[in-house]
Amino acid sequence: MENINEYCSDIDELEKKAGEWKGKRMDAPEIEMHGGIVMMKGKESLRDSWQAPRLVAFSNEEARPGYATKKAHEYEDEPHVLKSKVKELARLITASQNLCAYTGAGISTSSGIGDYASKAKETVALQKKRLKNPYLAKPTLAHRVITALYHSGNLKRWVQQNHDGLPQKAGLPQEALNEIHGAWFDPSNPVVPMSGSLRGDLFDDLQKWTKKG
């Protein structure tokens, strides 16, 4: 957490380059836009200062057809809001005793592994060209940062919905990981199809860390 100002300096550079943000603001409950932190007692100042994200990529397609879904628009926080969120996240991580990461497809898109829900033609997601062989994907910066949080003693558990093995490639020990939807590299934990059922012990572990967190 001691390098938080360095990350915020990077956001300052983003703000200089962003110019005037003109996209339509998201119209949604605050808890959907900013997370449960804004609903906590004593966090009224965050609720007042964190503006709604702006639309940066429009899509007429549904993000997840067949499920409770929304249009696959993409939104971004303005840089000063993002900077405030980074600092609040660092504070929460430092104060936490049972920090658990819960990640999905978006964490791996910049490694060249495509995701299911990104449909906007003018996507701003950090995506590389899709790999012909996703088994050869390398960990992203996000995988390495989360792994570093584990080795620093901050992160206690990582529940990952992906099958790609990138946390382990980043140096996370297997015992710290719950591959809840199955794994490409673990024959004892086959990938769970949409119509399948989660492995009982992994689901119990998920519930355990939901309560502990």
Side-chain angles (χ1 to χ4, degrees):
M1 298 304 103
E2 63 271 12
N3 294 324
I4 191 67
N5 289 326
E6 180 181 334
Y7 291 110
C8 288
S9 295
D10 292 339
I11 297 173
D12 286 336
E13 290 302 312
L14 172 65
E15 189 164 18
K16 292 176 184 177
K17 296 176 182 178
E20 185 179 357
W21 291 52
K22 299 180 180 179
K24 182 180 178 182
R25 291 198 184 277
M26 182 184 288
D27 182 14
E30 290 175 328
I31 193 170
E32 292 184 17
M33 295 189 292
H34 305 303
I37 185 71
V38 295
M39 308 309 294
M40 294 174 62
K41 186 177 180 180
K43 296 298 179 180
E44 293 81 6
S45 61
L46 295 181
R47 191 159 61 243
D48 294 338
S49 63
W50 286 0
Q51 298 162 292
R54 288 190 183 274
L55 180 70
V56 293
F58 177 86
S59 176
N60 256 327
E61 294 190 56
E62 298 293 329
R64 298 178 180 276
Y67 298 88
T69 188
K70 296 182 179 180
K71 297 294 184 183
H73 305 319
E74 294 179 15
Y75 293 84
E76 283 190 356
D77 283 314
E78 294 180 61
H80 70 279
V81 177
L82 179 58
K83 183 193 298 185
S84 177
K85 287 185 176 181
V86 168
K87 290 183 176 180
E88 182 63 19
L89 176 61
R91 186 195 67 78
L92 290 171
I93 289 173
T94 302
S96 174
Q97 295 181 350
N98 290 298
L99 179 65
C100 177
Y102 185 80
T103 60
I107 197 174
S108 295
T109 54
S110 61
S111 73
I113 298 175
D115 72 312
Y116 175 70
S118 295
K119 307 287 177 62
K121 292 181 179 179
E122 302 297 327
T123 181
V124 296
L126 293 175
Q127 293 178 321
K128 291 182 179 179
K129 185 177 180 180
R130 282 198 183 190
L131 295 172
K132 292 182 179 179
N133 184 353
Y135 290 85
L136 300 179
K138 296 180 180 180
T140 67
L141 175 61
H143 292 99
R144 295 196 296 271
V145 168
I146 296 174
T147 298
L149 284 173
Y150 173 80
H151 288 296
S152 69
N154 295 101
L155 183 73
K156 306 303 182 186
R157 194 68 168 158
W158 187 345
V159 179
Q160 113 127 336
Q161 300 177 79
N162 304 336
H163 325 299
D164 50 37
L166 295 184
Q168 297 95 316
K169 289 183 180 181
L172 189 84
Q174 184 66 44
E175 60 267 22
L177 185 68
N178 179 343
E179 295 173 290
I180 188 72
H181 290 169
W184 290 341
F185 302 103
D186 183 358
S188 70
N189 187 20
V191 173
V192 180
M194 288 288 194
S195 58
S197 299
L198 299 177
R199 218 174 80 180
D201 59 326
L202 298 181
F203 182 68
D204 290 343
D205 181 76
L206 170 65
Q207 289 187 309
K208 168 187 170 182
W209 281 97
T210 299
K211 294 176 181 177
K212 289 185 71 172

mmCIF file of all heavy atoms in Angstrom, residues 91-129:
data_model
loop_
_atom_site.group_PDB
_atom_site.id
_atom_site.type_symbol
_atom_site.label_atom_id
_atom_site.label_comp_id
_atom_site.label_asym_id
_atom_site.label_seq_id
_atom_site.Cartn_x
_atom_site.Cartn_y
_atom_site.Cartn_z
ATOM 1 N N ARG A 91 -7.242 1.640 1.619
ATOM 2 C CA ARG A 91 -7.577 1.724 3.045
ATOM 3 C C ARG A 91 -8.297 0.460 3.497
ATOM 4 O O ARG A 91 -7.998 -0.103 4.565
ATOM 5 C CB ARG A 91 -8.449 2.960 3.310
ATOM 6 C CG ARG A 91 -8.725 3.212 4.782
ATOM 7 C CD ARG A 91 -9.851 4.201 4.981
ATOM 8 N NE ARG A 91 -11.133 3.671 4.535
ATOM 9 C CZ ARG A 91 -11.862 2.797 5.227
ATOM 10 N NH1 ARG A 91 -11.422 2.345 6.404
ATOM 11 N NH2 ARG A 91 -13.015 2.378 4.759
ATOM 12 N N LEU A 92 -9.243 -0.007 2.683
ATOM 13 C CA LEU A 92 -9.999 -1.211 3.033
ATOM 14 C C LEU A 92 -9.098 -2.441 3.092
ATOM 15 O O LEU A 92 -9.226 -3.286 3.982
ATOM 16 C CB LEU A 92 -11.123 -1.425 2.016
ATOM 17 C CG LEU A 92 -12.278 -0.425 2.048
ATOM 18 C CD1 LEU A 92 -13.188 -0.632 0.840
ATOM 19 C CD2 LEU A 92 -13.081 -0.569 3.338
ATOM 20 N N ILE A 93 -8.190 -2.552 2.116
ATOM 21 C CA ILE A 93 -7.274 -3.696 2.088
ATOM 22 C C ILE A 93 -6.392 -3.702 3.327
ATOM 23 O O ILE A 93 -6.191 -4.742 3.967
ATOM 24 C CB ILE A 93 -6.415 -3.662 0.809
ATOM 25 C CG1 ILE A 93 -7.284 -3.984 -0.417
ATOM 26 C CG2 ILE A 93 -5.251 -4.644 0.905
ATOM 27 C CD1 ILE A 93 -6.565 -3.815 -1.740
ATOM 28 N N THR A 94 -5.866 -2.543 3.688
ATOM 29 C CA THR A 94 -4.992 -2.439 4.848
ATOM 30 C C THR A 94 -5.726 -2.807 6.142
ATOM 31 O O THR A 94 -5.155 -3.438 7.038
ATOM 32 C CB THR A 94 -4.424 -1.017 4.957
ATOM 33 O OG1 THR A 94 -3.715 -0.696 3.756
ATOM 34 C CG2 THR A 94 -3.477 -0.885 6.137
ATOM 35 N N ALA A 95 -6.997 -2.434 6.227
ATOM 36 C CA ALA A 95 -7.772 -2.675 7.445
ATOM 37 C C ALA A 95 -8.343 -4.091 7.527
ATOM 38 O O ALA A 95 -8.717 -4.552 8.603
ATOM 39 C CB ALA A 95 -8.926 -1.660 7.530
ATOM 40 N N SER A 96 -8.381 -4.794 6.391
ATOM 41 C CA SER A 96 -9.039 -6.095 6.342
ATOM 42 C C SER A 96 -8.235 -7.185 7.034
ATOM 43 O O SER A 96 -7.000 -7.204 6.983
ATOM 44 C CB SER A 96 -9.277 -6.495 4.877
ATOM 45 O OG SER A 96 -9.799 -7.809 4.798
ATOM 46 N N GLN A 97 -8.949 -8.124 7.661
ATOM 47 C CA GLN A 97 -8.317 -9.292 8.273
ATOM 48 C C GLN A 97 -8.600 -10.568 7.487
ATOM 49 O O GLN A 97 -7.904 -11.570 7.650
ATOM 50 C CB GLN A 97 -8.807 -9.457 9.712
ATOM 51 C CG GLN A 97 -8.398 -8.312 10.624
ATOM 52 C CD GLN A 97 -8.869 -8.513 12.051
ATOM 53 O OE1 GLN A 97 -9.656 -9.402 12.343
ATOM 54 N NE2 GLN A 97 -8.368 -7.679 12.960
ATOM 55 N N ASN A 98 -9.625 -10.536 6.647
ATOM 56 C CA ASN A 98 -10.011 -11.716 5.867
ATOM 57 C C ASN A 98 -10.316 -11.311 4.425
ATOM 58 O O ASN A 98 -11.392 -11.576 3.902
ATOM 59 C CB ASN A 98 -11.244 -12.399 6.489
ATOM 60 C CG ASN A 98 -10.927 -13.065 7.811
ATOM 61 O OD1 ASN A 98 -10.110 -13.981 7.871
ATOM 62 N ND2 ASN A 98 -11.559 -12.599 8.873
ATOM 63 N N LEU A 99 -9.333 -10.696 3.784
ATOM 64 C CA LEU A 99 -9.526 -10.217 2.419
ATOM 65 C C LEU A 99 -9.621 -11.387 1.446
ATOM 66 O O LEU A 99 -8.760 -12.261 1.412
ATOM 67 C CB LEU A 99 -8.364 -9.308 2.019
ATOM 68 C CG LEU A 99 -8.417 -8.745 0.594
ATOM 69 C CD1 LEU A 99 -9.605 -7.805 0.420
ATOM 70 C CD2 LEU A 99 -7.107 -8.017 0.267
ATOM 71 N N CYS A 100 -10.681 -11.381 0.648
ATOM 72 C CA CYS A 100 -10.907 -12.424 -0.354
ATOM 73 C C CYS A 100 -11.160 -11.752 -1.699
ATOM 74 O O CYS A 100 -11.995 -10.859 -1.801
ATOM 75 C CB CYS A 100 -12.092 -13.299 0.041
ATOM 76 S SG CYS A 100 -12.509 -14.577 -1.173
ATOM 77 N N ALA A 101 -10.437 -12.163 -2.726
ATOM 78 C CA ALA A 101 -10.664 -11.656 -4.084
ATOM 79 C C ALA A 101 -11.633 -12.582 -4.805
ATOM 80 O O ALA A 101 -11.537 -13.809 -4.679
ATOM 81 C CB ALA A 101 -9.349 -11.579 -4.848
ATOM 82 N N TYR A 102 -12.568 -11.990 -5.549
ATOM 83 C CA TYR A 102 -13.540 -12.766 -6.336
ATOM 84 C C TYR A 102 -13.504 -12.195 -7.747
ATOM 85 O O TYR A 102 -13.956 -11.072 -7.969
ATOM 86 C CB TYR A 102 -14.934 -12.652 -5.717
ATOM 87 C CG TYR A 102 -15.987 -13.504 -6.390
ATOM 88 C CD1 TYR A 102 -16.091 -14.870 -6.100
ATOM 89 C CD2 TYR A 102 -16.877 -12.960 -7.304
ATOM 90 C CE1 TYR A 102 -17.060 -15.660 -6.695
ATOM 91 C CE2 TYR A 102 -17.857 -13.754 -7.911
ATOM 92 C CZ TYR A 102 -17.938 -15.102 -7.609
ATOM 93 O OH TYR A 102 -18.893 -15.882 -8.211
ATOM 94 N N THR A 103 -12.935 -12.925 -8.687
ATOM 95 C CA THR A 103 -12.688 -12.365 -10.013
ATOM 96 C C THR A 103 -13.332 -13.197 -11.114
ATOM 97 O O THR A 103 -13.576 -14.399 -10.959
ATOM 98 C CB THR A 103 -11.179 -12.263 -10.278
ATOM 99 O OG1 THR A 103 -10.587 -13.575 -10.219
ATOM 100 C CG2 THR A 103 -10.496 -11.364 -9.257
ATOM 101 N N GLY A 104 -13.579 -12.525 -12.248
ATOM 102 C CA GLY A 104 -14.188 -13.169 -13.406
ATOM 103 C C GLY A 104 -13.418 -12.894 -14.684
ATOM 104 O O GLY A 104 -12.237 -12.536 -14.658
ATOM 105 N N ALA A 105 -14.106 -12.994 -15.813
ATOM 106 C CA ALA A 105 -13.450 -12.991 -17.121
ATOM 107 C C ALA A 105 -12.675 -11.711 -17.415
ATOM 108 O O ALA A 105 -11.648 -11.745 -18.087
ATOM 109 C CB ALA A 105 -14.498 -13.221 -18.209
ATOM 110 N N GLY A 106 -13.155 -10.567 -16.914
ATOM 111 C CA GLY A 106 -12.529 -9.300 -17.246
ATOM 112 C C GLY A 106 -11.077 -9.193 -16.836
ATOM 113 O O GLY A 106 -10.311 -8.438 -17.438
ATOM 114 N N ILE A 107 -10.676 -9.972 -15.842
ATOM 115 C CA ILE A 107 -9.297 -9.885 -15.357
ATOM 116 C C ILE A 107 -8.315 -10.498 -16.365
ATOM 117 O O ILE A 107 -7.116 -10.223 -16.318
ATOM 118 C CB ILE A 107 -9.166 -10.576 -13.983
ATOM 119 C CG1 ILE A 107 -7.878 -10.152 -13.279
ATOM 120 C CG2 ILE A 107 -9.243 -12.070 -14.103
ATOM 121 C CD1 ILE A 107 -7.753 -10.686 -11.877
ATOM 122 N N SER A 108 -8.818 -11.302 -17.291
ATOM 123 C CA SER A 108 -7.939 -12.023 -18.219
ATOM 124 C C SER A 108 -8.016 -11.530 -19.661
ATOM 125 O O SER A 108 -7.281 -12.030 -20.522
ATOM 126 C CB SER A 108 -8.264 -13.531 -18.188
ATOM 127 O OG SER A 108 -7.985 -14.088 -16.928
ATOM 128 N N THR A 109 -8.889 -10.572 -19.956
ATOM 129 C CA THR A 109 -9.043 -10.154 -21.357
ATOM 130 C C THR A 109 -7.759 -9.554 -21.925
ATOM 131 O O THR A 109 -7.452 -9.741 -23.105
ATOM 132 C CB THR A 109 -10.192 -9.140 -21.515
ATOM 133 O OG1 THR A 109 -9.989 -8.043 -20.615
ATOM 134 C CG2 THR A 109 -11.535 -9.785 -21.226
ATOM 135 N N SER A 110 -6.991 -8.841 -21.094
ATOM 136 C CA SER A 110 -5.764 -8.233 -21.602
ATOM 137 C C SER A 110 -4.637 -9.243 -21.785
ATOM 138 O O SER A 110 -3.552 -8.883 -22.246
ATOM 139 C CB SER A 110 -5.306 -7.081 -20.696
ATOM 140 O OG SER A 110 -5.042 -7.531 -19.397
ATOM 141 N N SER A 111 -4.895 -10.512 -21.448
ATOM 142 C CA SER A 111 -3.923 -11.572 -21.730
ATOM 143 C C SER A 111 -4.186 -12.211 -23.086
ATOM 144 O O SER A 111 -3.399 -13.044 -23.544
ATOM 145 C CB SER A 111 -3.980 -12.653 -20.643
ATOM 146 O OG SER A 111 -5.144 -13.438 -20.773
ATOM 147 N N GLY A 112 -5.317 -11.830 -23.714
ATOM 148 C CA GLY A 112 -5.672 -12.400 -25.008
ATOM 149 C C GLY A 112 -6.749 -13.459 -24.939
ATOM 150 O O GLY A 112 -7.067 -14.110 -25.936
ATOM 151 N N ILE A 113 -7.353 -13.640 -23.755
ATOM 152 C CA ILE A 113 -8.462 -14.581 -23.597
ATOM 153 C C ILE A 113 -9.767 -13.793 -23.672
ATOM 154 O O ILE A 113 -9.999 -12.896 -22.867
ATOM 155 C CB ILE A 113 -8.371 -15.329 -22.250
ATOM 156 C CG1 ILE A 113 -7.083 -16.144 -22.184
ATOM 157 C CG2 ILE A 113 -9.580 -16.255 -22.066
ATOM 158 C CD1 ILE A 113 -6.851 -16.827 -20.844
ATOM 159 N N GLY A 114 -10.610 -14.102 -24.647
ATOM 160 C CA GLY A 114 -11.852 -13.361 -24.836
ATOM 161 C C GLY A 114 -12.848 -13.609 -23.725
ATOM 162 O O GLY A 114 -12.818 -14.651 -23.060
ATOM 163 N N ASP A 115 -13.739 -12.633 -23.494
ATOM 164 C CA ASP A 115 -14.797 -12.816 -22.501
ATOM 165 C C ASP A 115 -16.147 -12.881 -23.190
ATOM 166 O O ASP A 115 -16.269 -12.612 -24.391
ATOM 167 C CB ASP A 115 -14.755 -11.708 -21.446
ATOM 168 C CG ASP A 115 -15.229 -10.376 -21.996
ATOM 169 O OD1 ASP A 115 -14.768 -9.996 -23.086
ATOM 170 O OD2 ASP A 115 -16.058 -9.731 -21.349
ATOM 171 N N TYR A 116 -17.162 -13.229 -22.432
ATOM 172 C CA TYR A 116 -18.489 -13.505 -22.977
ATOM 173 C C TYR A 116 -19.340 -12.253 -23.145
ATOM 174 O O TYR A 116 -20.145 -12.158 -24.064
ATOM 175 C CB TYR A 116 -19.192 -14.501 -22.044
ATOM 176 C CG TYR A 116 -20.620 -14.825 -22.385
ATOM 177 C CD1 TYR A 116 -20.931 -15.581 -23.513
ATOM 178 C CD2 TYR A 116 -21.668 -14.389 -21.572
ATOM 179 C CE1 TYR A 116 -22.246 -15.888 -23.828
ATOM 180 C CE2 TYR A 116 -22.979 -14.690 -21.876
ATOM 181 C CZ TYR A 116 -23.272 -15.444 -23.006
ATOM 182 O OH TYR A 116 -24.570 -15.735 -23.301
ATOM 183 N N ALA A 117 -19.152 -11.266 -22.269
ATOM 184 C CA ALA A 117 -20.119 -10.177 -22.180
ATOM 185 C C ALA A 117 -19.717 -8.898 -22.901
ATOM 186 O O ALA A 117 -20.562 -8.027 -23.098
ATOM 187 C CB ALA A 117 -20.389 -9.850 -20.703
ATOM 188 N N SER A 118 -18.467 -8.744 -23.314
ATOM 189 C CA SER A 118 -18.051 -7.509 -23.992
ATOM 190 C C SER A 118 -18.501 -7.562 -25.450
ATOM 191 O O SER A 118 -18.036 -8.394 -26.224
ATOM 192 C CB SER A 118 -16.522 -7.348 -23.921
ATOM 193 O OG SER A 118 -16.104 -7.166 -22.594
ATOM 194 N N LYS A 119 -19.396 -6.653 -25.828
ATOM 195 C CA LYS A 119 -19.979 -6.690 -27.174
ATOM 196 C C LYS A 119 -19.824 -5.369 -27.934
ATOM 197 O O LYS A 119 -20.051 -5.331 -29.134
ATOM 198 C CB LYS A 119 -21.483 -7.005 -27.064
ATOM 199 C CG LYS A 119 -21.825 -8.253 -26.257
ATOM 200 C CD LYS A 119 -21.470 -9.513 -27.012
ATOM 201 C CE LYS A 119 -21.734 -10.760 -26.176
ATOM 202 N NZ LYS A 119 -23.132 -10.940 -25.792
ATOM 203 N N ALA A 120 -19.450 -4.296 -27.238
ATOM 204 C CA ALA A 120 -19.366 -2.985 -27.891
ATOM 205 C C ALA A 120 -18.291 -2.989 -28.976
ATOM 206 O O ALA A 120 -17.172 -3.447 -28.758
ATOM 207 C CB ALA A 120 -19.066 -1.897 -26.862
ATOM 208 N N LYS A 121 -18.635 -2.467 -30.166
ATOM 209 C CA LYS A 121 -17.674 -2.433 -31.270
ATOM 210 C C LYS A 121 -16.503 -1.505 -30.963
ATOM 211 O O LYS A 121 -15.370 -1.743 -31.383
ATOM 212 C CB LYS A 121 -18.375 -2.004 -32.557
ATOM 213 C CG LYS A 121 -19.382 -3.028 -33.078
ATOM 214 C CD LYS A 121 -20.035 -2.557 -34.373
ATOM 215 C CE LYS A 121 -21.025 -3.593 -34.886
ATOM 216 N NZ LYS A 121 -21.694 -3.141 -36.138
ATOM 217 N N GLU A 122 -16.777 -0.423 -30.253
ATOM 218 C CA GLU A 122 -15.727 0.540 -29.899
ATOM 219 C C GLU A 122 -15.263 0.304 -28.463
ATOM 220 O O GLU A 122 -15.037 1.241 -27.713
ATOM 221 C CB GLU A 122 -16.258 1.975 -30.051
ATOM 222 C CG GLU A 122 -16.770 2.312 -31.445
ATOM 223 C CD GLU A 122 -15.666 2.246 -32.489
ATOM 224 O OE1 GLU A 122 -14.515 2.565 -32.142
ATOM 225 O OE2 GLU A 122 -15.955 1.871 -33.648
ATOM 226 N N THR A 123 -15.087 -0.949 -28.099
ATOM 227 C CA THR A 123 -14.718 -1.295 -26.732
ATOM 228 C C THR A 123 -13.437 -0.590 -26.297
ATOM 229 O O THR A 123 -12.524 -0.383 -27.097
ATOM 230 C CB THR A 123 -14.552 -2.816 -26.565
ATOM 231 O OG1 THR A 123 -14.219 -3.103 -25.200
ATOM 232 C CG2 THR A 123 -13.481 -3.362 -27.481
ATOM 233 N N VAL A 124 -13.402 -0.211 -25.019
ATOM 234 C CA VAL A 124 -12.196 0.414 -24.462
ATOM 235 C C VAL A 124 -11.470 -0.568 -23.549
ATOM 236 O O VAL A 124 -10.497 -0.198 -22.891
ATOM 237 C CB VAL A 124 -12.552 1.698 -23.681
ATOM 238 C CG1 VAL A 124 -13.143 2.731 -24.610
ATOM 239 C CG2 VAL A 124 -13.503 1.396 -22.530
ATOM 240 N N ALA A 125 -11.945 -1.797 -23.509
ATOM 241 C CA ALA A 125 -11.301 -2.811 -22.675
ATOM 242 C C ALA A 125 -9.872 -3.051 -23.161
ATOM 243 O O ALA A 125 -9.590 -2.982 -24.362
ATOM 244 C CB ALA A 125 -12.093 -4.116 -22.726
ATOM 245 N N LEU A 126 -8.981 -3.318 -22.215
ATOM 246 C CA LEU A 126 -7.589 -3.591 -22.556
ATOM 247 C C LEU A 126 -7.480 -5.015 -23.080
ATOM 248 O O LEU A 126 -7.138 -5.945 -22.350
ATOM 249 C CB LEU A 126 -6.701 -3.386 -21.330
ATOM 250 C CG LEU A 126 -6.574 -1.960 -20.826
ATOM 251 C CD1 LEU A 126 -5.774 -1.934 -19.529
ATOM 252 C CD2 LEU A 126 -5.881 -1.090 -21.869
ATOM 253 N N GLN A 127 -7.808 -5.190 -24.361
ATOM 254 C CA GLN A 127 -7.811 -6.517 -24.946
ATOM 255 C C GLN A 127 -6.696 -6.652 -25.983
ATOM 256 O O GLN A 127 -6.536 -5.811 -26.854
ATOM 257 C CB GLN A 127 -9.148 -6.809 -25.613
ATOM 258 C CG GLN A 127 -10.311 -6.915 -24.642
ATOM 259 C CD GLN A 127 -11.623 -7.156 -25.364
ATOM 260 O OE1 GLN A 127 -11.864 -6.589 -26.417
ATOM 261 N NE2 GLN A 127 -12.452 -8.001 -24.803
ATOM 262 N N LYS A 128 -5.942 -7.713 -25.878
ATOM 263 C CA LYS A 128 -5.006 -8.062 -26.926
ATOM 264 C C LYS A 128 -5.752 -8.877 -27.974
ATOM 265 O O LYS A 128 -6.886 -9.296 -27.765
ATOM 266 C CB LYS A 128 -3.851 -8.896 -26.360
ATOM 267 C CG LYS A 128 -2.918 -8.146 -25.439
ATOM 268 C CD LYS A 128 -1.788 -9.056 -24.991
ATOM 269 C CE LYS A 128 -0.816 -8.332 -24.084
ATOM 270 N NZ LYS A 128 0.275 -9.221 -23.621
ATOM 271 N N LYS A 129 -5.121 -9.100 -29.103
ATOM 272 C CA LYS A 129 -5.691 -9.991 -30.097
ATOM 273 C C LYS A 129 -5.876 -11.359 -29.457
ATOM 274 O O LYS A 129 -5.002 -11.853 -28.740
ATOM 275 C CB LYS A 129 -4.757 -10.101 -31.303
ATOM 276 C CG LYS A 129 -5.332 -10.908 -32.443
ATOM 277 C CD LYS A 129 -4.377 -10.901 -33.641
ATOM 278 C CE LYS A 129 -4.963 -11.724 -34.787
ATOM 279 N NZ LYS A 129 -4.042 -11.734 -35.960
#
